Amino acid sequence: MPPRDIPGQLSGTLLIHGDSPLGAEVAPSISVTTTFRKFPDDDTAGLASANPYGHIYSRYSQNVSSKVEEVLNKVNKGHSITYASGLAAAFSALVHYKPKRIAISGGYMGCHGAIGVYSRGRSEGIPTIDLDDDFQEGDLCWLETPLNPTGEARDIKYYANKIHTVGGILLVDSTFGPPPLQYPLDFGADCVFHSGTKYFGGHSDLLCGILIVKTAEERKQMWHNRAFMGNMMGSLEAWLLLRSLRTMHLRIPRQSASATELAQWLGKAVIPEGQEFDGIPGGVLTKVCHSSLQGTDERGFNPASQMKGGYNATFSILLSEQEYAEALPFKLEYFVNPWSNSSIRADPKENPLLVRLSIGVEEVEDLKDDLRKALQTVANKSVSEREVGK
């Protein structure tokens, strides 16, 4: 009997048992071999049965990475291939599609870096244009949604129609919208990109990139490129990813629900100085950006129609003063302030008043208390400093 398909939800049954056809181990071993033994055609002892899936060399395939991709195929509703990191997957997509121009606006600075490296490797270079410029044949539309760092959603179907009209390709960076939140292939994407380091991995202990395409044939072409670019996942990382996939149906909906509640709660604290909402002083927050707060745009797009499994677990807040934005991350107890997120304000293209919040599986009320106290602290410190300066 096949697992139940519940709209808007991930199947825990698929995540846990989706790789069962690929081996007898309940908890698969970490394979450390690079090569596999070849047996004669007249293998009377049946020794070849130890390698029933015909692995040849771990640069092509090995047991755990094959199991990972089998599960990914099922939960992404497409044909998946993994890479050593998110940027390795991004670069591989460029090699595969060979765009004449790339339409991209905003988004993760690492992808812009990968595009720059790819462009420098081409004698003629690769022009980049804005998403709202006119497209032409040979273009690749690189659409990140939800957007890093703001957490706002973009209309996949609109850009799919726009790029397909000229015969181009739509790649959707859905890193902040993992299953079951959204399925870009359903809205016209030709390829879906994920930095699996983020939500598929989920534990800050592995690097991984994922590409998902519509056909097995296209996936085979990408696999051939990967074999000779040498940017496949290592055995340990594949094992860690498989471990993480087992709990995606528990983690992602919880993170989504918590982030949505927090974003809407903080949105109510965008009030004038002198007022207060639930202990948060007014005049500190000026805006909260999240797909759940967007509403319907002038083209009729509402993120709810695209993110049917829930809204993204990452959003941003804008503070009224730069000193608030710089101090806030260090006043929080349950929010880690890693270098990788601090780079948001180090990037001159980003608003220095912006702070990105990535929500985990903590209790929402504890996160509210943490944010409330931190916002009170930065506001009170500013008031005290102004009074001393008088």
Side-chain angles (χ1 to χ4, degrees):
M1 183 174 64
R4 290 182 174 85
D5 183 14
I6 306 173
Q9 296 184 29
L10 275 177
S11 167
T13 307
L14 277 181
L15 290 167
I16 295 168
H17 298 287
D19 59 321
S20 294
L22 301 183
E25 294 178 314
V26 175
S29 306
I30 303 173
S31 172
V32 296
T33 190
T34 54
T35 57
F36 296 83
R37 188 183 301 276
K38 184 176 182 179
F39 296 96
D41 293 337
D42 58 343
D43 177 23
T44 55
L47 297 175
S49 62
N51 181 18
Y53 304 103
H55 298 307
I56 299 170
Y57 191 48
S58 61
R59 184 157 48 83
Y60 305 136
S61 66
Q62 45 96 343
N63 186 46
V64 182
S65 62
S66 297
K67 292 170 81 67
V68 161
E69 289 175 354
E70 183 71 15
V71 176
L72 288 173
N73 289 345
K74 293 172 180 175
V75 300
N76 286 292
K77 302 179 181 179
H79 298 270
S80 305
I81 182 167
T82 55
Y83 296 88
S85 70
L87 292 184
F91 193 87
S92 296
L94 295 169
V95 170
H96 175 70
Y97 288 114
K98 300 181 285 293
K100 294 180 180 178
R101 301 190 308 174
I102 300 170
I104 184 170
S105 300
Y108 179 45
M109 59 190 294
C111 290
H112 288 269
I115 290 170
V117 171
Y118 178 78
S119 180
R120 289 194 295 274
R122 309 277 293 187
S123 58
E124 69 279 13
I126 306 294
T128 58
I129 62 172
D130 191 83
L131 286 172
D132 293 321
D133 289 340
D134 292 334
F135 294 167
Q136 63 189 35
E137 186 178 359
D139 285 351
L140 170 67
C141 178
W142 191 292
L143 181 71
E144 183 175 317
T145 183
L147 187 65
N148 181 15
T150 64
E152 295 168 304
R154 290 160 159 174
D155 187 351
I156 297 173
K157 188 176 292 185
Y158 170 79
Y159 288 101
N161 292 336
K162 182 180 177 182
I163 192 68
H164 291 157
T165 297
V166 299
I169 296 293
L170 175 62
L171 180 148
V172 173
D173 179 346
S174 190
T175 295
F176 281 5
L181 305 187
Q182 70 179 17
Y183 293 91
L185 293 180
D186 291 345
F187 296 92
D190 299 294
C191 179
V192 183
F193 160 71
H194 287 275
S195 172
T197 305
K198 309 300 190 294
Y199 291 102
F200 283 90
H203 293 74
S204 299
D205 57 9
L206 68 95
L207 293 175
C208 166
I210 302 164
L211 295 177
I212 305 117
V213 291
K214 295 178 179 179
T215 67
E217 180 58 34
E218 185 173 12
R219 192 262 178 201
K220 185 177 180 180
Q221 294 169 6
M222 291 177 161
W223 174 85
H224 186 272
N225 289 345
R226 186 187 69 177
F228 294 100
M229 291 175 70
N231 55 359
M232 70 295 302
M233 290 186 75
S235 299
L236 174 60
E237 289 75 17
W239 185 88
L240 289 169
L241 179 57
L242 185 61
R243 166 219 59 185
S244 297
L245 291 175
R246 307 302 197 200
T247 60
M248 271 190 73
H249 64 303
L250 305 175
R251 294 185 286 108
I252 305 302
R254 169 70 176 265
Q255 291 174 272
S256 168
S258 296
T260 301
E261 182 174 344
L262 283 168
Q264 294 180 356
W265 173 72
L266 287 169
K268 296 175 183 176
V270 180
I271 50 179
E273 187 173 0
Q275 297 182 20
E276 181 181 289
F277 168 74
D278 200 12
I280 300 175
V284 179
L285 296 175
T286 62
K287 186 177 181 180
V288 178
C289 301
H290 187 236
S291 55
S292 71
L293 300 173
Q294 282 180 242
T296 303
D297 69 14
E298 65 278 3
R299 290 197 297 261
F301 169 66
N302 188 303
S305 65
Q306 185 171 282
M307 305 196 71
K308 297 181 179 181
Y311 297 106
N312 38 293
T314 301
F315 64 94
S316 64
I317 56 177
L318 287 170
L319 294 103
S320 58
E321 298 184 23
Q322 187 169 339
E323 64 178 284
Y324 292 165
E326 292 173 349
L328 181 66
F330 297 97
K331 305 301 181 183
L332 293 163
E333 180 179 1
Y334 299 131
F335 291 80
V336 178
N337 185 28
W339 278 104
S340 58
N341 285 354
S342 298
S343 64
I344 291 168
R345 288 190 300 282
D347 184 348
K349 298 184 184 68
E350 296 297 345
N351 190 332
L353 301 176
L354 182 147
V355 173
R356 191 187 79 186
L357 299 174
S358 298
I359 308 305
V361 296
E362 298 89 346
E363 301 300 327
V364 174
E365 292 305 318
D366 290 332
L367 297 180
K368 285 182 179 180
D369 286 343
D370 197 15
L371 285 162
R372 183 186 296 110
K373 291 174 184 175
L375 290 166
Q376 289 171 351
T377 299
V378 297
N380 291 338
K381 183 175 184 293
S382 178
V383 170
S384 298
E385 288 175 349
R386 285 200 296 266
E387 288 178 348
V388 170
K390 289 181 180 178

